[in-house]
Amino acid sequence: MRAQGSTLGRLRDWTPSPVWPEGRGLMLARPLLSERREMLRNWLSGQGADWIDDPANEDPRYGRSRARQALHATASAHVSPVRVVDAASASPLIVDGGLIQLDRSVRAATLAAALVCAGGGSTPPRGDRLSAILDRLRASEDFVAVLSGARLEATADRVIVMREAGEWTRRPIAPLRLEPRRAAVWDGRFIFNAREPGWTVVAARGRLSSLTGRDRDALNRLPPAARGAVPVLLRDGETAPVLAGVGVEQRDLVPERLRLALDETTHEDDLNHPPNGVTPWNHLFSRKDIPDRGPTLGLRTTEDLNEPA
């Protein structure tokens, strides 16, 4: 399966939930992973219990089904194992604003995880398209590619992955209405907590010119292509968007999700620990970057948001 381009991670008896963002913070247990299907079926039959077989297990459209059929057909023959060599590489570097910086020697599984996490979706890239990007990276090409809702920019000095804002032309994202003291996820990449009602999260794309000069200066720290994919806030009764920090707290979920995708989290205790070098609730626009616009609209901490009104 790996030789044919599969980017599946390894299965463990404890793994983070594959459902994102609804399953964030949950672990998935597989206590029967080491048991064989025949043994389980025999035991269930002895208990008078029934079971359900997943029809996808026999569907040749899926790689795992084709692999099972090939193994069954050659069960009595000697089969030489296929060794897949994947280049070693440095760990991805998390950059504020939902960006991920990679090395050109990035492993296929790491690149696939970075694309999915930066893109905010759930569908990994096809193996052939992923291999094509890896070949161009190894060849030291400078190029731009869009895959899994993410944009990869490879230049002589760096490789960065970010959300592709142009994808919203094909798949628009509905505005996210925030409810006070209730966490809400936008675009699978950012989580918001609002102190007061009246806030809506939208994309900065098409609204950059309406931001204040101070907010535009903060956005200018990002590559130009990444700025339109940053979330901004609209206040009821006001037309100009603002960045998070004015009565609303924002946290970047990309580092947490990437850590989960790369098997760096192995137990529930690890779920709330930030990756190395990343500070909890360290979003692009810190408190010092946002002017205080009034005594009731100051930025609040997570502890504040959990306190009763």
Side-chain angles (χ1 to χ4, degrees):
M1 291 174 68
R2 292 191 182 280
Q4 294 177 7
S6 171
T7 56
L8 292 175
R10 60 190 177 93
L11 285 179
R12 301 195 308 264
D13 53 357
W14 281 93
T15 55
S17 168
V19 182
W20 186 270
E22 294 82 1
R24 67 186 189 282
L26 300 177
M27 297 294 286
L28 179 65
R30 298 183 180 91
L32 301 178
L33 189 61
S34 61
E35 304 295 342
R36 306 298 299 175
R37 286 190 295 177
E38 291 75 15
M39 186 282 295
L40 293 174
R41 288 169 176 167
N42 290 337
W43 184 86
L44 288 168
S45 296
Q47 301 296 316
D50 202 356
W51 62 87
I52 298 174
D53 286 319
D54 183 356
N57 288 336
E58 310 300 331
D59 192 332
R61 292 177 299 175
Y62 298 96
R64 67 178 186 274
S65 176
R66 295 193 300 271
R68 286 195 188 100
Q69 293 173 6
L71 289 171
H72 180 74
T74 59
S76 59
H78 174 72
V79 180
S80 299
V82 177
R83 183 184 179 191
V84 180
V85 179
D86 208 352
S89 64
S91 300
L93 175 65
I94 303 298
V95 183
D96 277 340
L99 275 67
I100 302 171
Q101 186 168 324
L102 303 171
D103 189 87
R104 283 185 177 269
S105 62
V106 61
R107 297 183 299 115
T110 302
L111 177 57
L115 289 167
V116 172
C117 294
S122 58
T123 304
R126 295 202 317 262
D128 55 343
R129 298 192 65 187
L130 191 69
S131 296
I133 291 180
L134 287 170
D135 290 342
R136 299 183 72 180
L137 289 174
R138 305 285 193 268
S140 299
E141 288 187 36
D142 292 351
F143 65 97
V144 173
V146 177
L147 200 57
S148 297
R151 176 187 180 93
L152 182 146
E153 292 186 357
T155 60
D157 58 342
R158 65 177 181 176
V159 178
I160 55 174
V161 180
M162 68 196 79
R163 181 70 158 111
E164 172 53 62
E167 286 288 291
W168 294 326
T169 302
R170 297 190 301 117
R171 299 184 181 89
I173 296 180
L176 175 64
R177 186 72 173 176
L178 299 180
E179 298 182 25
R181 294 179 172 82
R182 178 170 294 182
V185 176
W186 180 82
D187 194 36
R189 299 182 296 131
F190 295 94
I191 187 169
F192 289 87
N193 273 294
R195 174 186 179 184
E196 300 171 345
W199 292 102
T200 300
V201 185
V202 295
R205 188 170 188 260
R207 299 179 174 88
L208 293 173
S209 61
S210 301
L211 291 169
T212 65
R214 188 182 183 90
D215 286 350
R216 285 198 300 272
D217 288 343
L219 275 180
N220 287 341
R221 304 207 300 266
L222 297 176
R227 297 166 192 168
V230 170
V232 294
L233 298 166
L234 295 177
R235 179 74 164 173
D236 287 354
E238 300 180 8
T239 58
V242 296
L243 298 180
V246 187
V248 180
E249 188 180 53
Q250 169 189 318
R251 178 164 62 96
D252 186 354
L253 288 177
V254 174
E256 173 186 335
R257 188 181 186 190
L258 185 61
R259 188 183 182 208
L260 296 173
L262 297 180
D263 287 345
E264 294 181 9
T265 298
T266 58
H267 195 273
E268 290 130 316
D269 291 343
D270 296 334
L271 287 171
N272 295 321
H273 293 178
N276 290 334
V278 177
T279 304
W281 293 90
N282 178 25
H283 50 73
L284 177 65
F285 316 108
S286 64
R287 181 194 301 264
K288 65 182 179 182
D289 294 324
I290 305 297
D292 187 1
R293 293 184 171 92
T296 62
L297 296 180
L299 178 66
R300 308 186 81 198
T301 65
T302 48
E303 289 77 11
D304 293 333
L305 288 167
N306 291 327
E307 291 176 357

